[in-house]
Amino acid sequence: MTTKGIENVNPQRFVKKTKREVTTQEEDESVKDPIDEREIFDLLRDISDPEHPMSLEELNVVQITNIEVDDHQNSVKVFYTPTIPHCSMATLIGLSIKVCLLRSLPPRFKVEVNISPGSHASEEAVNKQLADKERVSAALENSNLLEVVNQCIVKSLE
Amino acid sequence: MVTPTSIQKLRDSLVLQESMSEAISIVSQSIASKDITVLQLVENLQPELLHQQAAYRCRAVSTIASILEQLTPDLKGINEKEIDLITEFFCSKLKDHHSIVPAALHGLHILSSASRLSPGLARSIAQAIFQDVHCQSQLQHDRRTIYKTIKNLLALHIGELQVLGQDFVFGLIQAADQERDPRNLLILFSIFPVVARYFRLEPFTEEFFEVFSCYFPIDFTPPANDPYGVTKDQLCEGLRQCLASSAHFAEYCMPLLQEKLESDLVSAKIEALKTLELCCLSYPPTQLEKWIDTFWKCIRREVLINVNTEELEHASLDALAALSRAFATNGEFNNLAFTKLLKEILSECQGHLCEPERRLMTPSSYVLLAICSGNAPACALIVSQVIPLLTEQCRIRSQSAPRQFILNCLNKLVQAGLYGFTEIDVAQSGIYPLIPALLELYLEVLKEDDALLRSLSLQGLGHFVGIGMNHEDLEKVNQSLLGLLQQPLTTGHTVEEIGLFFYKCAEQNESWFVEQVLVKLLDMAISDKANEIFRLLRTLPPLPRIRAQVLSQLMARLEQSEPELRLEMLKALAYFAQHDELQMFHQLHNWALETLKEGDPPVSLEATCNILRKLASSLSSEDAKQFINEQIDRYIDQHLTSSAWVVPIMEATLGSLDAIPVGQNLDKLIKTLEPLTVCHPKTDVRISACRLVAALINKIPEGHELESILDSLRTKWQDPSADRSKTVCLFVWISKALLMRSYSKLDQSIQELVESLNDPTHGYLVAEGFKTILCETEQCLNFDSHANIRLMYRQRFFQEVVPRLLKLYRESPSCNKSACFAAIANQLAFIPEGVLVAHITTLIPLLIQCLNLEQPDQLIISTITAFMGLISDNVSAIEEYISSLVPRLLTLAKDGLTMEVRRLALRCLSELRKAQSVVLLPLRSEVILRLIPCLDDKKRLVRREAAVARQKWTMLGQAGCE
């Protein structure tokens, strides 16, 4: 994968956010912390890009402002922005985000992963693929794809 | 001729095919003591040596070789002539039946390690081996003997072998060609470089190169449980040395490396780059220049175009640095090819450097830095072109992020320009004319509000201290730093960076620093930035003049300051206070006593005690005795009557001195402290008193006096009417003091400790005391405070106490089980792994039982922490228990009462990924399923751990995660 055909050799990079500070509320046993945008962002920020040794946060692919969470209605929506409009890795990045969320969020949530409107040439097709449960699980049956997805996610766990 | 008895015995056992080791050692001893000669031995063994059956002859030859082996290294008792004959004998045996060859080779190997071979022998051995033995049809072991023989001959008699010239090279090629065993290859890889360096290889250069280059790049995975311990790294390193061993290989090696650089295998590329790095040292520039463009293409692809693992990127940059070093010349560039390439690289990288917000900026700066690192003229060119460019970029950009990238890069280049070379070269590195502009830029940035940019600028300025910055500049910088310190927004990180800068200045020129900076700093220490200033003082180097200045100023101000400021001041004092400060000790001691009042302790008490302790422990024993004699009465009769908070001060001084009160003083002191240890209402005073008594007990010599004190204390802690929760503390501290000094009646104390665990209400408190007993305490009973400490007291305690705890647990069903568990768990963190492993099989099942919702949280936490320690140090020790551990952790993760327990259980589950997959896989589906509820825990911190643990277990055994 690394030897040939990188599409965007020189992408723009961004400065990383600092770690979320632990509040006294979070340390208080009796308070229930709701699942919020920042929590979702923290799950995703360190996933690495399949092309670059940089995180999705550094490339501005995932931004906290593009995440919508409703803890009561059990919905999580993530809009991500590929670095260039014809990026062929877009589906793969979306898949990594989706897989990461499916593994680490409670099953009560309906997880939607979409490309930010207007940021990719084949936006609709990719969104459709990512929304299709069957296709997502079929993709993960493919050991090559699974390997790439896992490699992207594994760095976010260190 | 009479056969000597020893040889007769040898022959007998040879014929009878018995074990011969005894006979062999007798004969070799007789040869060493010159009772018999080797010739006698050979002559007497003639019937066997000439026997019709090869097996007999083989045994005889091998017996002689074994006898020789006993006489190595200098073949004791054998003269030159005999060595000649015996060598000839073994050489001739190579022509004998094939089954005898190994024994003969063994003999020759032994002879080859002797330095006393007469001229010509080494040559004959080599010739005989090359002519009469077909190396590759021998067994692995015998090939190894051949290679070791050659290695020995090369090491000791290389001159003789050189005479053989081409014949030797050819012989070696034939012997070594197609060797497959990694153990043998390791030996060969150490032979080849020697041959390449000292022998004329023509006309076999290419053939010789082929013999080892065919292994490149090494692909070898040692078998599981390999007893020989040959690693891939060793082989790679050996082969690299061979490839780079001679400039004559360049024409074959360069194409080989280029081919591997084009390959798809990352490991092959890395190997090729590392080899290239080494070749650059030995190959002349004339050979390298033909290939430099090709190699740059490959390196450029790895660093600038592809995105790679760090290892490959590092290897690429190292290779580039080595190439640049190979073309380094003292003066100007005189290599056209390199100059042309350098210009090309520079213009490409300059383009990227002008786009600091994009990814390639950083890698291109690495490329330039790599070239700088080896080559002074190239560095001068790069520095003089790139620094102005970056300075300008930094000026025209307004956003913080790109400017951070620029400053980072600029700092590295400045460092390369200033420190890359020796002093003389700095002048040539081209950075001098740029310094004024750089300083101006850094100072401008320093005035801005962005803390990140400011600290980057400070880092840059730090490089100039002592090199490239004159007094005027330095004053200017210091002025702005002092100004910066007074601004309200300057805090935390920036203060630290300023401290680092001042540290460098102070180290460079102490007296200048004291006069110009320190005085002003101390003046500022009364403003509202005083806290920051004191913190900064603590980062300065404790040089004599700085110390004297700070100490005298702070001691003078201590009395007038605000209480909060005092804390910071005391911390600064503690940093600068060193040994031999008797005067300061008395001054501070008096001051501390004066600050005491009835009621709450002064806020500065703890900090003051810390300094007092440090100073007290460094007093000489004479000063200490004098202090004790003067103070005891005053402590007891004056100060204690007005405030109980004098106890911590007494502990800090009396507990740390290199002397103890004696006679009446001791008696009086103990009598006064005794009631405080169990009855005083303030916990801190009580514990402090306990510690002081323990520190004294630890130092009193064994005997009647100690016994009577202990007896009296024992009545205190065994007193049934006293509050048990308070007496336990005294009991624990006294046990610790006795344990550390290996008190002769320790056994009794340990037994009492174990029995008191049974106390249904306070057993758990005693178990917590186990932690106190084993931990390092800062206040007393440590090496600094002259405590009486025997080595390895922790291990001894653990060995003593564990069997008793187990006995208690097993034999008395009514015992306080949770206290028992806790006592074990609390010890684990302090016991070295080696000792722990011996007990692991008995302890782990017990510890697993502690992981139970009914146990107290504290116990669960310390048990999980113990398990995590084991997992990170020695996961294989607990692998067989994982299947019973995991379900318990899962229960705790879901239903643990406190979030600390849930988080730790989850983290422990994540850590278990370190164990072998084979052990974990059967548990995978259960873990993934049972972690689902944890993902919805009400606490965010728990959810985070759950997400990590669940992802790790999900990926277990999947592609891309091993």
Side-chain angles (χ1 to χ4, degrees):
Chain A
M1 180 194 74
T2 53
T3 45
K4 278 162 217 112
I6 284 193
E7 290 165 350
N8 188 5
V9 171
N10 199 5
Q12 195 169 350
R13 56 186 173 165
F14 298 83
V15 177
K16 288 208 244 183
K17 277 199 170 45
T18 48
K19 244 177 120 180
R20 181 177 198 160
E21 302 224 347
V22 179
T23 59
T24 40
Q25 272 200 349
E26 281 176 358
E27 279 167 349
D28 181 354
E29 204 76 49
S30 56
V31 181
K32 182 180 188 310
D33 309 324
I35 293 183
D36 61 7
E37 283 80 9
R38 178 67 202 249
E39 190 170 337
I40 304 295
F41 179 69
D42 282 341
L43 286 171
L44 303 176
R45 60 191 289 199
D46 289 321
I47 296 181
S48 56
D49 183 277
E51 270 190 352
H52 300 285
M54 295 161 86
S55 66
L56 296 187
E57 179 186 13
E58 277 174 293
L59 294 167
N60 250 21
V61 174
V62 178
Q63 282 161 285
I64 193 161
T65 44
N66 289 345
I67 298 175
E68 293 169 15
V69 177
D70 191 332
D71 200 10
H72 299 293
Q73 301 296 319
N74 298 333
S75 99
V76 169
K77 282 186 195 163
V78 175
F79 294 92
Y80 68 100
T81 322
T83 54
I84 44 172
H86 41 86
C87 179
S88 66
M89 296 286 164
T91 327
L92 198 55
I93 297 175
L95 189 62
S96 303
I97 295 177
K98 180 120 190 182
V99 168
C100 175
L101 291 179
L102 288 177
R103 285 175 185 170
S104 43
L105 282 179
R108 65 184 165 93
F109 279 99
K110 178 172 164 50
V111 176
E112 284 178 54
V113 176
N114 292 308
I115 293 189
S116 309
S119 66
H120 197 268
S122 38
E123 186 185 322
E124 249 175 71
V126 175
N127 287 346
K128 215 169 165 189
Q129 278 185 351
L130 290 173
D132 188 338
K133 262 189 198 167
E134 240 100 277
R135 289 180 77 171
V136 169
S137 58
L140 295 180
E141 298 283 307
N142 177 334
S143 72
N144 288 333
L145 260 179
L146 183 65
E147 183 175 352
V148 180
V149 167
N150 278 341
Q151 276 168 350
C152 292
I153 296 178
V154 91
K155 287 196 188 114
S156 71
L157 302 178
E158 281 155 13
Chain B
M1 191 184 67
V2 189
T3 312
T5 46
S6 55
I7 298 184
Q8 191 55 49
K9 257 193 182 160
L10 185 75
R11 280 192 59 186
D12 290 347
S13 44
L14 194 67
V15 175
L16 293 169
Q17 311 209 339
E18 289 168 344
S19 154
M20 316 204 6
S21 54
E22 196 190 340
I24 285 175
S25 77
I26 294 173
V27 172
S28 58
Q29 274 163 22
S30 337
I31 293 179
S33 58
K34 301 201 174 170
D35 293 338
I36 51 172
T37 64
V38 178
L39 289 185
Q40 267 177 311
L41 171 70
V42 177
E43 277 164 16
N44 278 298
L45 286 180
Q46 219 164 35
E48 282 75 26
L49 285 170
L50 299 175
H51 202 280
Q52 274 186 331
Q53 286 180 21
Y56 274 88
R57 299 204 299 279
C58 180
R59 268 172 81 82
V61 175
S62 127
T63 308
I64 298 176
S66 306
I67 290 170
L68 277 187
E69 193 173 13
Q70 305 257 317
L71 297 167
T72 47
D74 49 357
L75 300 178
K76 213 173 158 206
I78 308 180
N79 64 32
E80 307 287 316
K81 197 155 170 263
E82 284 169 331
I83 294 180
D84 287 2
L85 283 168
I86 203 93
T87 310
E88 200 183 318
F89 164 75
F90 279 125
C91 285
S92 68
K93 283 294 153 193
L94 290 178
K95 294 194 180 83
D96 202 333
H97 190 265
H98 70 86
S99 64
I100 298 168
V101 172
L105 284 172
H106 181 50
L108 287 173
H109 172 233
I110 290 156
L111 287 166
S112 73
S113 62
S115 53
R116 290 194 294 132
L117 292 190
S118 19
L121 276 192
R123 205 169 56 206
S124 346
I125 294 178
Q127 270 172 325
I129 290 178
F130 289 151
Q131 275 169 14
D132 300 326
V133 186
H134 186 247
C135 179
Q136 289 305 318
S137 17
Q138 306 297 319
L139 292 175
Q140 183 270 336
H141 176 262
D142 303 321
R143 300 202 301 274
R144 186 178 165 85
T145 314
I146 294 178
Y147 301 143
K148 283 204 291 197
T149 311
I150 296 175
K151 192 176 173 182
N152 283 341
L153 294 176
L154 278 170
L156 297 168
H157 313 281
I158 192 166
E160 268 186 54
L161 298 183
Q162 272 170 321
V163 177
L164 281 176
Q166 296 168 358
D167 290 345
F168 180 82
V169 177
F170 183 70
L172 181 62
I173 291 174
Q174 285 210 312
D177 203 14
Q178 295 181 0
E179 176 61 52
R180 300 182 64 89
D181 188 273
R183 289 163 285 174
N184 290 351
L185 280 175
L186 264 190
I187 303 176
L188 282 175
F189 287 164
S190 66
I191 295 178
F192 292 144
V194 180
V195 177
R197 213 159 293 149
Y198 296 104
F199 285 75
R200 234 178 77 85
L201 300 175
E202 282 299 327
F204 302 117
T205 317
E206 189 169 1
E207 285 79 0
F208 188 65
F209 182 77
E210 284 295 319
V211 172
F212 50 83
S213 64
C214 62
Y215 302 106
F216 188 81
I218 299 263
D219 179 21
F220 168 65
T221 322
N225 306 323
D226 177 23
Y228 307 106
V230 176
T231 64
K232 184 178 177 183
D233 282 349
Q234 284 175 319
L235 287 169
C236 288
E237 174 63 30
L239 180 55
R240 242 177 272 151
Q241 295 290 348
C242 296
L243 291 167
S245 57
S246 163
H248 297 294
F249 296 150
E251 58 175 314
Y252 314 110
C253 186
M254 294 283 132
L256 178 72
L257 294 181
Q258 193 237 335
E259 182 197 322
K260 297 300 168 200
L261 279 172
E262 302 289 342
S263 106
D264 276 346
L265 267 176
V266 175
S267 61
K269 285 188 199 174
I270 293 178
E271 221 19 66
L273 286 162
K274 285 187 174 168
T275 310
L276 176 61
E277 190 188 341
L278 206 61
C279 289
C280 287
L281 293 175
S282 53
Y283 293 2
T286 42
Q287 289 284 358
L288 293 171
E289 71 178 10
K290 290 179 242 166
W291 293 91
I292 189 163
D293 285 326
T294 324
F295 286 136
W296 163 244
K297 257 183 223 139
C298 300
I299 292 174
R300 179 177 177 275
R301 193 178 54 221
E302 301 313 335
V303 181
L304 293 183
I305 300 185
N306 285 354
V307 173
N308 282 310
T309 57
E310 231 160 70
E311 200 189 359
L312 183 50
E313 194 177 305
H314 281 292
S316 307
L317 291 171
D318 287 347
L320 182 61
L323 272 172
S324 152
R325 206 169 300 128
F327 290 98
T329 42
N330 297 325
E332 290 300 302
F333 299 109
N334 50 11
N335 189 297
L336 278 177
F338 181 71
T339 318
K340 187 169 148 277
L341 179 69
L342 179 60
K343 290 198 172 130
E344 210 178 283
I345 296 177
L346 199 51
S347 75
E348 181 181 357
C349 289
Q350 276 175 334
H352 294 313
L353 292 177
C354 292
E355 297 180 319
E357 66 284 347
R358 297 201 170 269
R359 177 183 84 93
L360 283 185
M361 192 239 188
T362 312
S364 16
S365 74
Y366 290 157
V367 165
L368 293 178
L369 284 168
I371 298 177
C372 279
S373 74
N375 193 324
C379 179
L381 182 71
I382 292 171
V383 161
S384 63
Q385 296 213 359
V386 174
I387 288 187
L389 179 87
L390 288 174
T391 326
E392 194 206 324
Q393 283 293 323
C394 192
R395 285 233 160 78
I396 56 175
R397 305 268 161 179
S398 55
Q399 279 176 312
S400 172
R403 294 180 79 200
Q404 280 173 37
F405 293 128
I406 295 175
L407 278 176
N408 235 325
C409 179
L410 199 55
N411 286 348
K412 286 195 183 117
L413 268 173
V414 167
Q415 194 184 17
L418 287 172
Y419 298 96
F421 305 96
T422 57
E423 195 97 8
I424 315 150
D425 286 327
V426 176
Q428 298 172 5
S429 78
I431 200 167
Y432 267 111
L434 304 168
I435 292 179
L438 276 170
L439 287 179
E440 198 185 323
L441 175 73
Y442 281 133
L443 284 174
E444 267 171 42
V445 176
L446 213 51
K447 288 189 188 117
E448 291 173 30
D449 282 341
D450 192 322
L452 272 169
L453 290 180
R454 271 202 312 250
S455 68
L456 280 170
S457 138
L458 274 166
Q459 270 170 24
L461 283 170
H463 292 317
F464 288 108
V465 176
I467 184 167
M469 190 154 40
N470 56 31
H471 267 263
E472 237 170 76
D473 293 332
L474 198 56
E475 223 152 279
K476 224 195 289 175
V477 175
N478 279 329
Q479 280 307 325
S480 9
L481 292 186
L482 289 171
L484 192 61
L485 271 177
Q486 278 165 323
Q487 281 171 21
L489 285 174
T490 311
T491 48
H493 194 59
T494 315
V495 176
E496 256 169 56
E497 292 281 351
I498 296 179
L500 278 178
F501 184 82
F502 281 157
Y503 189 100
K504 281 188 186 166
C505 291
E507 269 191 330
Q508 275 297 320
N509 191 343
E510 191 190 351
S511 54
W512 179 86
F513 180 78
V514 171
E515 284 156 27
Q516 295 293 323
V517 184
L518 189 62
V519 177
K520 289 176 193 158
L521 270 180
L522 287 168
D523 285 344
M524 282 161 63
I526 35 176
S527 65
D528 52 349
K529 301 290 287 180
N531 273 336
E532 261 83 34
I533 305 288
F534 285 127
R535 210 167 302 145
L536 195 146
L537 285 177
R538 292 211 304 276
T539 60
L540 294 177
L543 298 169
R545 289 196 56 189
I546 297 178
R547 237 183 81 209
Q549 185 82 14
V550 174
L551 289 182
S552 69
Q553 290 273 335
L554 292 193
M555 283 305 287
R557 288 187 205 170
L558 202 52
E559 287 165 37
Q560 323 139 12
S561 304
E562 300 286 310
E564 297 88 66
L565 260 189
R566 271 187 201 158
L567 273 183
E568 289 298 326
M569 278 174 132
L570 285 166
K571 275 191 212 157
L573 277 175
Y575 172 75
F576 280 103
Q578 286 185 351
H579 312 295
D580 68 350
E581 316 252 11
L582 187 59
Q583 198 201 340
M584 182 177 162
F585 172 65
H586 284 299
Q587 210 178 337
L588 200 66
H589 182 240
N590 291 336
W591 179 78
L593 290 173
E594 278 163 30
T595 54
L596 294 180
K597 290 185 208 84
E598 234 357 276
D600 286 338
V603 274
S604 56
L605 184 66
E606 196 189 334
T608 319
C609 286
N610 281 338
I611 311 179
L612 283 176
R613 192 173 304 123
K614 193 170 166 187
L615 293 170
S617 63
S618 65
L619 292 189
S620 68
S621 57
E622 283 74 40
D623 288 339
K625 274 179 200 143
Q626 202 188 339
F627 177 82
I628 291 172
N629 290 335
E630 284 167 10
Q631 285 295 334
I632 290 275
D633 287 334
R634 286 167 63 191
Y635 274 144
I636 295 170
D637 303 330
Q638 276 179 27
H639 302 299
L640 256 180
T641 47
S642 62
S643 165
W645 291 108
V646 77
V647 176
I649 297 181
M650 288 166 70
E651 188 206 343
T653 55
L654 298 176
S656 324
L657 289 170
D658 189 13
I660 48 163
V662 283
Q664 270 196 328
N665 275 342
L666 179 63
D667 217 35
K668 192 170 168 189
L669 183 61
I670 298 278
K671 288 257 147 54
T672 321
L673 289 172
E674 245 178 40
L676 295 175
T677 55
V678 284
C679 303
H680 199 276
K682 296 271 184 214
T683 319
D684 285 345
V685 173
R686 216 171 53 231
I687 294 180
S688 191
C690 289
R691 278 198 304 250
L692 178 53
V693 172
L696 295 170
I697 296 275
N698 177 263
K699 292 181 197 170
I700 302 171
E702 272 197 41
H704 177 65
E705 198 173 22
L706 178 64
E707 290 305 319
S708 72
I709 293 175
L710 282 177
D711 285 339
S712 137
L713 286 168
R714 195 169 293 122
T715 54
K716 279 272 170 214
W717 80 65
Q718 288 177 345
D719 180 6
S721 65
D723 180 352
R724 187 76 183 128
S725 64
K726 290 176 180 169
T727 53
V728 163
C729 177
L730 176 64
F731 170 48
V732 162
W733 276 100
I734 302 296
S735 309
K736 180 179 169 85
L738 296 176
L739 173 70
M740 284 179 123
R741 62 181 287 177
S742 280
Y743 174 58
S744 54
K745 293 178 194 159
L746 193 60
D747 197 54
Q748 211 181 319
S749 310
I750 293 181
Q751 193 53 38
E752 194 181 343
L753 209 54
V754 171
E755 276 162 15
S756 45
L757 281 174
N758 241 344
D759 184 330
T761 46
H762 295 99
Y764 197 71
L765 211 59
V766 178
E768 282 298 290
F770 275 60
K771 229 187 265 178
T772 313
I773 290 179
L774 293 183
C775 74
E776 194 73 36
T777 41
E778 202 186 315
Q779 293 92 346
C780 60
L781 292 173
N782 50 38
F783 278 108
D784 284 340
S785 58
H786 307 283
N788 183 357
I789 302 175
R790 293 282 293 275
L791 282 176
M792 302 203 284
Y793 75 91
R794 293 191 177 92
Q795 284 95 309
R796 263 201 303 275
F797 178 68
F798 182 75
Q799 307 268 33
E800 276 285 319
V801 101
V802 163
R804 297 186 202 202
L805 287 175
L806 291 176
K807 192 167 165 236
L808 178 73
Y809 172 77
R810 287 189 188 129
E811 290 176 10
S812 63
S814 62
C815 81
N816 184 345
K817 291 224 159 81
S818 85
C820 230
F821 288 146
I824 293 176
N826 284 337
Q827 292 176 71
L828 295 181
F830 304 100
I831 304 302
E833 195 196 305
V835 182
L836 214 52
V837 166
H839 293 273
I840 230 156
T841 41
T842 41
L843 290 184
I844 288 198
L846 268 184
L847 287 173
I848 290 180
Q849 288 192 35
C850 298
L851 299 177
N852 180 329
L853 287 171
E854 283 140 35
Q855 300 294 349
D857 285 341
Q858 236 7 72
L859 172 61
I860 297 176
I861 289 172
S862 47
T863 312
I864 298 184
T865 317
F867 270 114
M868 300 235 279
L870 276 173
I871 291 170
S872 74
D873 294 341
N874 186 359
V875 72
S876 54
I878 61 162
E879 269 174 359
E880 60 176 300
Y881 305 99
I882 285 182
S883 57
S884 44
L885 178 61
V886 166
R888 289 190 177 251
L889 287 173
L890 285 168
T891 311
L892 291 175
K894 179 167 164 280
D895 299 325
L897 275 183
T898 61
M899 62 191 237
E900 189 59 26
V901 168
R902 300 199 297 275
R903 279 180 78 184
L904 266 177
L906 288 165
R907 199 172 304 153
C908 193
L909 280 167
S910 296
E911 290 287 303
L912 277 175
R913 274 294 277 112
K914 294 206 175 91
Q916 286 186 55
S917 303
V918 190
V919 188
L920 302 176
L921 275 170
L923 302 161
R924 178 174 174 262
S925 50
E926 185 190 353
V927 175
I928 298 178
L929 195 68
R930 288 183 61 185
L931 282 179
I932 292 177
C934 303
L935 297 173
D936 216 358
D937 197 282
K938 65 177 180 176
K939 300 309 295 175
R940 185 170 295 133
L941 295 169
V942 180
R943 290 199 295 264
R944 178 72 202 157
E945 299 289 350
V948 172
R950 186 156 189 273
Q951 295 208 55
K952 282 191 173 175
W953 278 83
T954 313
M955 287 196 242
L956 175 70
Q958 285 188 348
C961 309
E962 294 307 318

